[in-house]
Amino acid sequence: VPPATLLSTVWAPWWRFERGRFVPATAFRPVPRVDAAVLTIERRTPPLLPLAMAREYAEFVRASWPFRMGG
């Protein structure tokens, strides 16, 4: 799944985010109105960008957010 938020896009070159195990609402008390899932976060080795580019990359993403697809 590609990064979907500003924060996940900024962190994507160094971290991988995946939806893990499904947790049904019935697993909680009181039972909420929605189901849940476990979020897994894994450090990329090697990263997609060098750490020295973190600030410049974050500034670029923030200035370009939200990305416009197709013009």
Side-chain angles (χ1 to χ4, degrees):
V1 176
T5 67
L6 176 62
L7 187 58
S8 64
T9 302
V10 169
W11 288 5
W14 300 277
W15 301 94
R16 181 180 332 233
F17 299 87
E18 294 182 11
R19 186 178 64 218
R21 188 172 68 92
F22 171 80
V23 183
T26 56
F28 299 93
R29 295 291 181 265
V31 177
R33 295 180 191 168
V34 296
D35 294 319
V38 175
L39 173 64
T40 60
I41 304 170
E42 181 180 342
R43 185 185 304 262
R44 292 182 186 272
T45 304
L48 301 178
L49 293 174
L51 189 55
M53 292 185 69
R55 182 181 305 240
E56 182 180 351
Y57 175 71
E59 289 172 359
F60 165 76
V61 170
R62 287 184 184 106
S64 304
W65 194 265
F67 296 108
R68 306 280 188 232
M69 297 296 179

